[in-house]
Amino acid sequence: MPIGAIFSFLGAQEQADATQSAANTSAAAQLEAARLAAEAARFRPVGITTRYGSSNFQMSPEGYLTGAGYNVSPELKAYQDRLMGLTGGALTQAEQAQQQYAPLQTAATGLFSLGQQYLQQTPQQVAAQYIQQQQDLLAPSRERQMAQLQNQLFQQGRGGLSVGATGARPSGAAGLGATTPEMEAYYNAIAQQDAQLAAQAQQEGQRNVAFGAGLFGTGAGMLGQYQAGQVGALSPFQTYLGTGQSIEEMGQQPLTLGAGLGGQAAAYGANAGSSLLRGGLSAALTQQQANQISPLGSFLTGASKDPKLQTGFEKLFGGQRNYFDNMGNEFTPSGTPIYDY
């Protein structure tokens, strides 16, 4: 094999080995930079103790968070236990509220039913019923008055006397009938009473409707009181339970603060780790570029392209043997002189 081909093969092999070695070195440097960056960005919570409690965090030997908890201060824990004792009694009271306020619900149901009965009649029907009832009440007294008036006229001898009759009216209606002045006064009084009853009956019909509607409103108010009473009965329980929860949150503050500080530290570490990673990658790239060129490979590659250097190596390692004359000039076996330039 020609010595130039040997030099070219050896140079290429040496350059390939140098490139592979530089890549391995760069990869190792990048992994180390990434490891340092990850270590800087690792979450490291901080244990904190306050007046209300303390936090605790459990970490694995590798530095990872495996557990977290908090402890409420003894004073707050004692308050919380007392509140929990009150909470049980308050819940029992709330459970009894439905039975205690049941009469309101019953009364509301009765008012709804009564109001419906009132509203089943129209104002006109109520007015007619009112007039009938009032006339039934006045009938006995009117009959006594009539009997007394007739007895008086009979004793005076004027029982058959009738005066004051009038003719037909212009509209065609009948005129007034003849009667005694006492009888006329009697019937006029009855007519006035009936007119007054008619006016009162109209008002009574309106009042009846308003009263029925008012019964519905009163019943609704009682039903609202029934519901509000049950909700209000639950209020002590909610207050005690909410206060106990507030105490628990006060004890949780160290855990929240510690986790927050750990998160901030991790964020700062992530920024530093990012800078470290970028610097490490840049250094690894520079190192790779510097190491991927092999001086020996470059020499061998250059030697494969230098005829004089190849001739010298061929002579050195037993290649073509030339001859010299008395003057020291070199000749090939074919007699061709070799000149040095």
Side-chain angles (χ1 to χ4, degrees):
M1 178 182 293
I3 193 67
I6 295 175
F7 284 162
S8 178
F9 172 77
L10 292 177
Q13 185 65 37
E14 184 65 22
Q15 184 61 49
D17 293 342
T19 301
Q20 182 64 40
S21 177
N24 293 337
T25 302
S26 177
Q30 293 180 30
L31 288 175
E32 180 62 16
R35 185 189 67 80
L36 294 176
E39 182 66 22
R42 180 174 294 177
F43 176 65
R44 295 181 176 86
V46 180
I48 292 180
T49 300
T50 67
R51 178 66 177 80
Y52 307 113
S54 60
S55 63
N56 55 81
F57 299 91
Q58 295 80 44
M59 309 296 292
S60 67
E62 293 80 12
Y64 295 101
L65 180 67
T66 59
Y70 65 93
N71 297 314
V72 181
S73 68
E75 294 85 359
L76 290 182
K77 185 65 170 59
Y79 296 153
Q80 196 176 44
D81 292 341
R82 293 170 61 183
L83 282 170
M84 290 301 101
L86 294 174
T87 302
L91 184 58
T92 301
Q93 180 181 353
E95 292 172 342
Q96 297 173 351
Q98 184 175 7
Q99 182 179 358
Q100 293 172 347
Y101 285 94
L104 284 175
Q105 187 179 26
T106 303
T109 303
L111 289 174
F112 290 153
S113 178
L114 184 59
Q116 187 175 6
Q117 294 177 10
Y118 270 89
L119 294 180
Q120 284 178 349
Q121 292 180 310
T122 64
Q124 292 78 8
Q125 291 173 336
V126 174
Q129 182 179 2
Y130 176 80
I131 292 176
Q132 183 62 45
Q133 291 174 348
Q134 295 300 317
Q135 286 181 344
D136 291 341
L137 292 174
L138 293 173
S141 61
R142 288 180 176 180
E143 291 176 356
R144 286 194 299 270
Q145 291 176 356
M146 172 61 73
Q148 293 174 357
L149 181 58
Q150 288 177 341
N151 183 44
Q152 179 182 356
L153 292 175
F154 177 77
Q155 292 178 356
Q156 293 176 355
R158 296 187 295 118
L161 178 63
S162 298
V163 296
T166 62
R169 297 183 179 181
S171 62
L176 298 176
T179 185
T180 61
E182 290 81 2
M183 292 295 291
E184 182 179 6
Y186 170 77
Y187 284 112
N188 285 339
I190 291 178
Q192 291 177 357
Q193 286 181 344
D194 290 342
Q196 186 177 3
L197 288 176
Q200 293 176 350
Q202 184 177 6
Q203 297 176 358
E204 186 65 22
Q206 295 173 354
R207 282 196 298 267
N208 187 83
V209 173
F211 181 72
L215 290 177
F216 277 96
T218 304
M222 287 186 175
L223 191 60
Q225 292 176 1
Y226 167 76
Q227 297 173 347
Q230 294 187 78
V231 174
L234 194 61
S235 179
F237 170 76
Q238 294 175 330
T239 299
Y240 298 147
L241 191 63
T243 305
Q245 182 181 3
S246 298
I247 291 178
E248 193 72 16
E249 291 174 353
M250 293 168 67
Q252 289 176 354
Q253 286 182 357
L255 179 65
T256 304
L257 292 174
L261 290 176
Q264 290 181 357
Y268 298 150
N271 292 333
S274 178
S275 299
L276 178 62
L277 179 61
R278 289 195 299 269
L281 293 177
S282 178
L285 180 60
T286 301
Q287 185 177 10
Q288 180 183 10
Q289 292 174 348
N291 294 338
Q292 68 182 358
I293 300 176
S294 171
L296 179 58
S298 299
F299 170 75
L300 293 175
T301 301
S304 68
K305 301 177 181 179
D306 190 339
K308 293 183 179 181
L309 191 58
Q310 292 178 26
T311 302
F313 273 99
E314 288 176 353
K315 293 177 181 180
L316 179 62
F317 294 104
Q320 175 182 331
R321 181 178 298 277
N322 297 329
Y323 302 92
F324 298 88
D325 56 14
N326 293 332
M327 299 299 294
N329 296 317
E330 185 177 8
F331 294 86
T332 64
S334 60
T336 304
I338 298 175
Y339 301 98
D340 293 330
Y341 297 95

